[in-house]
Amino acid sequence: MDRVEVRNLEVTYGNRTVLAVDRVSFERGGFYGIVGPSGAGKSTLLRIMNLLERPVSGQLHLFGTEVDLTSLSYAKGLPLQRQMGFVAQKPSMFQASVYDNVALGLRYRKKSRMEMQALVEEALELVELSHVRDQRANTLSGGEAQRIALARTLVCDPSLLLLDEPTASLDPYNISIFERVIQTIHRQKQTTILMITHNLPQARRLAQTCLFVNNGRIVERSDTEAFFHRPRCTELADFISGRMIC
């Protein structure tokens, strides 16, 4: 079972069900775009998969490991989280140098100083920010900070990369670099990537398969060409065309 799979997932806030997924799977090495209106449950799905929230019910299968998400302890969840990387819409920088920000996860993993230095330098070169290595991270521009957040994630070599609207606030220059980096990682390492985006052209450029989430449910899923050119449901056709959907 060389894939990621979520089954019988239900997430509620108070008396409101915000996400209900019977079953969804993602093959290793796939690049998946996740689109849908605001508040549809897209970010909740990624946070559940990254073990940042606990659902009412649900099971996660991660590349051979099966867990019950409702009773997963921190100790048992940590090895799973270390197989994943998560980049949010707004980057959080620690009050330290760029180098120390990128190296943080490697320190937790007890990497040697020499190995850590080589990996950090490689990650900084990948995001084209080697020249700010010793700069305080909190002095970076928003686009630079997001690229450092990506480097901090990629330096740990995740098998599953979860991206929650990571380019929503970036200018075209930084978007082009960010996209180039994740395309390179996907191609070279066959990293499984799930990317939430409201930028439909971006989903068409990057993803092999797209999913449409609406009202807490995965309404449609298909290869990217069919998704945008031959949508099966009215809601997706309306969403792609910019019309209001229920």
Side-chain angles (χ1 to χ4, degrees), residues 11-246:
V11 182
T12 62
Y13 296 156
N15 295 322
R16 185 169 66 97
T17 298
V18 297
L19 190 62
V21 177
D22 292 333
R23 178 179 176 181
V24 62
S25 63
F26 307 95
E27 298 301 318
R28 184 187 287 273
F31 197 133
Y32 298 86
I34 302 174
V35 304
S38 297
K42 304 182 301 297
S43 296
T44 300
L45 175 62
L46 260 58
R47 289 180 61 82
I48 291 292
M49 293 178 68
N50 198 223
L51 311 182
L52 298 175
E53 294 185 26
R54 182 168 291 189
V56 173
S57 66
Q59 293 81 44
L60 172 67
H61 176 94
L62 182 66
F63 303 134
T65 302
E66 184 92 19
V67 294
D68 184 340
L69 292 168
T70 64
S71 60
L72 188 64
S73 67
Y74 172 79
K76 290 184 178 179
L78 184 59
L80 297 179
Q81 281 186 312
R82 286 185 169 178
Q83 296 183 54
M84 311 181 209
F86 185 92
V87 180
Q89 181 177 344
K90 295 181 179 180
S92 297
M93 294 290 105
F94 301 102
Q95 298 295 313
S97 70
V98 166
Y99 179 94
D100 286 336
N101 268 265
V102 177
L104 183 65
L106 298 176
R107 289 199 170 96
Y108 285 131
R109 289 164 172 79
K110 309 295 185 183
K111 296 292 185 181
S112 70
R113 184 174 180 178
M114 289 185 62
E115 185 178 6
M116 182 164 56
Q117 181 174 339
L119 290 170
V120 171
E121 290 178 353
E122 180 183 359
L124 288 174
E125 184 176 352
L126 184 65
V127 299
E128 302 181 25
L129 286 173
S130 297
H131 60 286
V132 299
R133 177 187 188 277
D134 299 318
Q135 189 172 324
R136 297 287 292 183
N138 61 338
T139 66
L140 298 173
S141 70
E144 290 173 333
Q146 190 68 311
R147 285 152 60 193
I148 291 302
L150 179 61
R152 185 171 59 199
T153 299
L154 296 180
V155 77
C156 295
D157 193 23
S159 298
L160 174 63
L161 181 59
L162 306 171
L163 305 172
D164 189 359
E165 295 188 63
T167 65
S169 301
L170 304 189
D171 60 83
Y173 173 74
N174 281 289
I175 290 175
S176 67
I177 294 176
F178 197 102
E179 289 186 359
R180 185 162 63 248
V181 170
I182 58 176
Q183 285 177 309
T184 297
I185 290 297
H186 179 250
R187 182 178 65 254
Q188 292 181 350
K189 299 192 174 185
Q190 291 297 295
T191 305
T192 307
I193 300 177
L194 277 60
M195 182 176 185
I196 295 173
T197 180
H198 283 289
N199 184 334
L200 297 185
Q202 182 179 63
R204 294 177 69 170
R205 282 195 303 274
L206 301 179
Q208 299 164 328
T209 301
C210 285
L211 293 82
F212 176 59
V213 181
N214 190 34
N215 292 326
R217 296 183 181 276
I218 298 173
V219 179
E220 188 161 335
R221 166 185 172 147
S222 62
D223 69 85
T224 300
E225 182 180 358
F227 187 87
F228 285 99
H229 293 287
R230 298 182 298 278
R232 296 188 299 271
C233 70
T234 302
E235 296 100 315
L236 176 56
D238 288 344
F239 182 77
I240 292 171
S241 300
R243 295 188 291 269
M244 184 178 295
I245 61 174
C246 297

